Amino acid sequence: MYYLPLRLRKAKKSHQNLKLPGGIMTASERSPLLGGHHPNGSSSSRFSAFIKAEGEPGWARSLRFLFLSSYFNLFLVFIPLSVVSHHLNWDAGLRFAFSFLAIVPLAKLLGESTEQLSMKLGETLGGLLNASFGNAVEIIVGVAALVQGELRIVQTSMLGSILSNLLLVLGMSFMSGQIFKDEGLFQETAAQTSSSLMTLACLTLVIPAAYHSAKAANHPPFNKHTDDALNILSSLNSTLDGKPPAPGDGSKAGLLLISRFTSILLLLVYVIYLYFQLGSHAHLFNKKKKEGPNGETIEEEDDEEEPNMSMIAATFSLLTITVITSFCADYLVASIEETAEKYHIPKPFIGVILLPLVSNAAEHVTAVWMAAKGKMDLTIGIAVGSSIQIAVFVIPLLVLVGWAIHQPLTLYFADFETICLFVSVLLVNLLVQDGRSNYMEGVMLVTLYLVIAAAFWVS
């Protein structure tokens, strides 16, 4: 859902000093003397102050900001329609459409609640919160599909989220940001680090596909027998509708072992990346490039923002919206099978194209708008950062969740899907390595996305 780098840079430190007319009050000055009573009163009064959000934006202001800050919230009307249509068993197309549109505002509200809460928790806890809820909609939809055994929907929706961020969002942002000027600037070091991590995630999907191809032909990888080569080629499109491409040719056990071991490693890499981004090399992500008045390149620090919601209001809204989203996601997944059959829509197209568009709609608009305002570092954070979170955190997490609930989800995607991801990551790597962007690069990215969408439509 929302991009990780900007959120983490916005996170407030929980140990900030309080400025008073007489100077600065430190933590030690607020401590009780000689074991006396706390100056703020009893535990009950402090809890009451927390609930009332004293010293923070009130409940009315918090909820007003949450529900009136975006036109996306007009789609909230589809939430009750989604519930009613599911329980009254309306037409599958209506059930799918209502649930589809209901998730659009919920994704936006989840992002706002997570961001507001992370500002109050401090840098470390805020980072962990964003790691958990940064792509909450994708996780909720993935778990709902996983529980129902729709493993192909899990895989294609995760792949589609990565492709839509890397190609569609980044491409449209380059086009909108540089349509009236020569080029945009961004931090190439941070962008290259992020794109390199995306390359690693892509390669972890290539290896299971290569293993399956070799295992399916029942020979060492470099055997040159013609019939074996034909067997490998014939397996390139071996994807069963509605089922995972885990074959019954003896490679399934190996694929499960490779996928689960790789998922654990990727989660460890993601934790290290968080430390790299927040701690040891935070300066790479805190600075952004812009063009000076005389055409020179200058760097400036990110501005911190004041929260618009209290901590208790943000926490309550985050939990409530997560529960509502889980129900809408469950209704959405339950209607996919019947919708695909009745309206002749390929299920891979639903997973790769339609689901990512609705779950990422809010951040798509944000990325394009920020690029139009010349904030290219922000756009890179949205597109590449969100893709990293899905590839290195969400997909491995779902593999391990599937392991826990006895669903054989693997990192073996269909070979065609793996190739699409590989060429997309390759193109993005080539375009971001110089730290500059222009509208022609955006045209290239969007063109590749449309080609991939057409290929999945006829799949």
Side-chain angles (χ1 to χ4, degrees):
M1 201 183 61
Y2 264 85
Y3 46 97
L4 188 59
L6 175 66
R7 288 180 172 285
L8 299 182
R9 296 199 300 268
K10 282 183 177 178
K12 293 283 188 178
K13 294 186 177 180
S14 57
H15 57 271
Q16 251 180 339
N17 293 328
L18 299 176
K19 294 184 178 180
L20 297 176
I24 296 179
M25 178 178 290
T26 63
S28 59
E29 291 171 330
R30 295 196 302 269
S31 304
L33 299 176
L34 301 177
H37 294 290
H38 197 284
N40 291 335
S42 63
S43 298
S44 60
S45 63
R46 293 198 300 272
F47 179 76
S48 176
F50 173 74
I51 295 297
K52 295 178 180 179
E54 294 181 1
E56 300 180 356
W59 278 92
R61 177 185 167 186
S62 299
L63 295 179
R64 190 184 308 116
F65 168 79
L66 184 65
F67 290 107
L68 300 181
S69 61
S70 173
Y71 287 107
F72 279 105
N73 293 334
L74 294 175
F75 288 91
L76 289 172
V77 68
F78 289 103
I79 295 177
L81 289 175
S82 172
V83 177
V84 172
S85 63
H86 176 78
H87 288 284
L88 295 183
N89 198 28
W90 290 0
D91 179 77
L94 289 177
R95 287 185 278 125
F96 178 83
F98 289 156
S99 301
F100 186 87
L101 295 173
I103 291 179
V104 174
L106 291 173
K108 175 67 174 176
L109 295 178
L110 271 175
E112 291 288 1
S113 301
T114 304
E115 182 175 356
Q116 294 298 314
L117 187 56
S118 67
M119 290 181 184
K120 303 293 294 183
L121 289 178
E123 189 170 347
T124 302
L125 291 179
L128 294 176
L129 180 71
N130 278 282
S132 302
F133 286 90
N135 288 87
V137 173
E138 285 86 350
I139 295 176
I140 293 172
V141 172
V143 172
L146 199 59
V147 171
Q148 298 184 31
E150 294 284 355
L151 304 189
R152 288 294 295 144
I153 291 296
V154 177
Q155 291 184 320
T156 53
S157 63
M158 294 302 110
L159 174 70
S161 294
I162 297 174
L163 294 179
S164 65
N165 279 298
L166 287 181
L167 301 179
L168 183 63
V169 178
L170 196 58
M172 293 184 65
S173 299
F174 282 177
M175 293 167 62
S176 66
Q178 280 72 62
I179 193 66
F180 297 117
K181 58 182 181 179
D182 290 339
E183 59 184 14
L185 303 176
F186 52 87
Q187 273 284 351
E188 67 273 14
T189 305
Q192 287 175 4
T193 302
S194 300
S195 59
S196 298
L197 186 55
M198 260 316 303
T199 304
L200 171 64
C202 178
L203 292 177
T204 61
L205 301 183
V206 172
I207 293 174
Y211 169 81
H212 166 247
S213 295
K215 191 74 175 179
N218 195 26
H219 67 82
F222 300 105
N223 193 306
K224 296 183 179 180
H225 289 303
T226 304
D227 55 342
D228 288 342
L230 292 175
N231 287 335
I232 296 177
L233 291 175
S234 65
S235 69
L236 288 177
N237 294 319
S238 59
T239 301
L240 300 177
D241 185 34
K243 299 180 180 179
D249 53 14
S251 66
K252 183 175 180 179
L255 287 173
L256 288 172
L257 177 61
I258 294 173
S259 300
R260 291 163 180 173
F261 178 71
T262 303
S263 296
I264 295 173
L265 292 180
L266 286 177
L267 290 176
L268 292 176
V269 170
Y270 185 67
V271 172
I272 297 173
Y273 175 69
L274 288 180
Y275 173 73
F276 179 86
Q277 189 180 61
L278 294 175
S280 62
H281 291 71
H283 60 281
L284 296 178
F285 299 88
N286 291 335
K287 293 181 179 180
K288 53 186 178 181
K289 282 188 175 182
K290 64 179 296 186
E291 190 173 337
N294 299 321
E296 74 278 12
T297 300
I298 60 177
E299 291 184 348
E300 58 181 14
E301 295 285 339
D302 279 322
D303 297 326
E304 290 187 337
E305 294 184 0
E306 292 295 329
N308 293 299
M309 297 179 67
S310 65
M311 179 179 290
I312 183 64
T315 303
F316 177 79
S317 62
L318 181 62
L319 296 177
T320 303
I321 296 167
T322 300
V323 173
I324 297 174
T325 305
S326 65
F327 280 101
C328 290
D330 189 62
Y331 301 154
L332 178 67
V333 173
S335 64
I336 288 178
E337 185 78 33
E338 188 177 348
T339 302
E341 292 180 1
K342 184 173 182 178
Y343 295 95
H344 307 290
I345 304 175
K347 288 179 68 175
F349 183 83
I350 293 177
V352 174
I353 305 300
L354 296 184
L355 292 185
L357 286 180
V358 64
S359 61
N360 296 322
E363 69 177 13
H364 288 187
V365 175
T366 302
V368 175
W369 179 248
M370 290 298 104
K373 295 169 66 174
K375 299 182 178 181
M376 291 309 302
D377 286 281
L378 217 56
T379 297
I380 297 295
I382 295 174
V384 182
S386 183
S387 299
I388 287 175
Q389 196 171 19
I390 295 170
V392 190
F393 174 69
V394 178
I395 294 179
L397 178 65
L398 291 176
V399 170
L400 297 183
V401 170
W403 188 9
I405 64 176
H406 307 291
Q407 290 287 358
L409 182 65
T410 70
L411 294 178
Y412 169 54
F413 288 55
D415 294 333
F416 172 70
E417 297 165 6
T418 305
I419 293 172
C420 289
L421 178 60
F422 181 80
V423 297
S424 301
V425 172
L426 177 63
L427 180 58
V428 171
N429 274 329
L430 293 175
L431 296 183
V432 304
Q433 61 184 357
D434 60 350
R436 299 174 181 270
S437 62
N438 54 65
Y439 73 88
M440 190 62 213
E441 293 178 345
V443 170
M444 295 184 221
L445 292 171
V446 174
T447 299
L448 179 57
Y449 183 79
L450 294 177
V451 171
I452 292 175
F456 277 100
W457 175 259
V458 299
S459 64

